[in-house]
Amino acid sequence: FMKKNRLSGAFTLVELLVVIAIIGMLISLLLPAIQVARESARRMQCSNNLHQQGIAFHTYHDAKGGLPYGWDEYGLAWNGLILPFIEQQGLWSTIVHEETGSKTVWPFGAGNWTQGTSYGDKTGYDPSLQGPNAAACATLIPPYLCADFPHQRQVNNQQIIGRVQASYLGSSGSWAACDMATHVTGAGLTIKANECISQSHLKQNGMLFMIQMTLPNLKKSGNGLTGLSFDNVPKGLSNTIIVGEVAGDVNYSNNGNANDHWYIGMPQSEGDFSPPGYTTNTDYFGEDVHGYYSKKGSEFSETIGSGYTIVNSRWKTPSLDMRINQLAFGSYHPGSCLFLRVDGSVFTMDENVDLGVYREQFSRGEY
């Protein structure tokens, strides 16, 4: 009789289990590498976003002779002012930035307001009418959006339907601890000259803030506003931060303040100033050891941050009073945060950087 041989090429159970185990090990080794590659790509995209903003700032400066404000009396923010220079001229042209006859789209409010007897008289409001300014605030603009943002990007906020949460804040410098002067003491801080003030103060040591009455070279031209120029940065453009990432989340809050950040326009920071511009009327301004500060409007942290507290404070000190924490720069990239310098260069800041070294990078060197 002929002896029957076992079929060649077939796997035994043991061999099959070994192969499966090897495949599992390879997958477990490969997945982290894929995640690292994906995070690297998202970080690169975020860096490109900041680079585009840097180009926009320089183009703005070339066109208008100065950089934009951080915000103005109508609630228009720096990231709204540079829209034409990030290929968003069409969107910029829709924004109403002044009163138009007897009826106006209230600056960065949701609906239309019928003009009352004074500029601040908001009568005849119809919340069903989403004006063009609200529509702009609800428009997704890629250079303002980090791909690592893990939350719902568009939410209904301040009567703006689908308002977009932003990923970047402009820098007011390192002095501002809170939005408003009243918040400083409310958060248990002591106001000290050139050390701990609010963003409602018109004088700051950074690049983007409310500049009126603090600099002699103020210019206003149509819908374009200019503030600081490159000549106002004695420390050097390559040594001064102008924009950084922020780890925002409208649902993260304490003490009545949310860690929310937006772009283009800010209804809560619009200050009801009487046109044609600013005055020294005590209804609008107070004065202390730091000079003038705005008594109208709030929530400047929606578009402007500060180097006052540590980077990634959101993660490192989550219980910190939100009146302070909401101004902190931070990132959803692990362990670091991306920043843009005035010269247009982008760099990564380690979250464990010394606070003194960190703050110094937000000062333009002029006080």
Side-chain angles (χ1 to χ4, degrees), residues 61-251:
H61 191 282
D62 290 344
K64 301 180 181 298
L67 293 166
Y69 285 178
W71 69 91
D72 73 356
E73 76 273 35
Y74 295 98
L76 180 64
W78 62 271
N79 35 33
L81 285 166
I82 66 171
L83 283 175
F85 306 99
I86 57 167
E87 299 182 352
Q88 294 289 336
Q89 177 64 50
L91 183 61
W92 167 254
S93 67
T94 68
I95 293 175
V96 178
H97 189 225
E98 58 189 13
E99 294 181 89
T100 55
S102 61
K103 196 166 188 176
T104 180
V105 177
W106 196 253
F108 303 102
N112 284 342
W113 301 98
T114 301
Q115 191 71 8
T117 56
S118 68
Y119 185 73
D121 185 4
K122 303 177 183 180
T123 59
Y125 174 64
D126 182 353
S128 67
L129 299 174
Q130 283 283 291
N133 290 359
C137 293
T139 301
L140 293 168
I141 303 172
Y144 295 156
L145 309 174
C146 174
D148 261 341
F149 187 80
H151 309 292
Q152 181 178 348
R153 178 66 78 173
Q154 291 180 272
V155 297
N156 297 339
N157 177 271
Q158 288 294 306
Q159 298 179 318
I160 297 175
I161 298 172
R163 195 178 187 191
V164 183
Q165 298 195 64
S167 298
Y168 307 97
L169 293 178
S171 166
S172 66
S174 61
W175 287 346
C178 298
D179 277 322
M180 304 180 70
T182 54
H183 282 181
V184 175
T185 52
L189 301 169
T190 301
I191 296 179
K192 297 180 181 178
N194 295 343
E195 182 177 331
C196 175
I197 61 178
S198 74
Q199 283 194 359
S200 66
H201 286 82
L202 303 187
K203 184 177 182 180
Q204 295 285 345
N205 66 337
M207 296 304 305
L208 299 173
F209 58 97
M210 199 174 188
I211 298 172
Q212 175 69 16
M213 298 194 300
T214 66
L215 292 173
N217 64 340
L218 177 70
K219 300 175 183 177
K220 185 169 183 177
S221 176
N223 282 343
L225 299 175
T226 59
L228 290 169
S229 72
F230 292 154
D231 294 334
N232 298 126
V233 194
K235 199 175 72 175
L237 308 187
S238 62
N239 298 311
T240 310
I241 289 171
I242 189 169
V243 173
E245 286 188 278
V246 65
D249 177 8
V250 69
N251 295 313

Side-chain angles (χ1 to χ4, degrees), residues 285-303:
F285 296 101
E287 188 174 8
D288 60 19
V289 295
H290 307 290
Y292 284 111
Y293 65 90
S294 167
K295 295 169 68 175
K296 297 286 188 177
S298 61
E299 296 297 327
F300 306 119
S301 60
E302 291 185 350
T303 190

Side-chain angles (χ1 to χ4, degrees), residues 3-13 15:
K3 186 176 180 180
K4 294 183 179 180
N5 295 323
R6 182 170 61 88
L7 292 176
S8 61
F11 286 103
T12 66
L13 178 60
E15 290 172 332

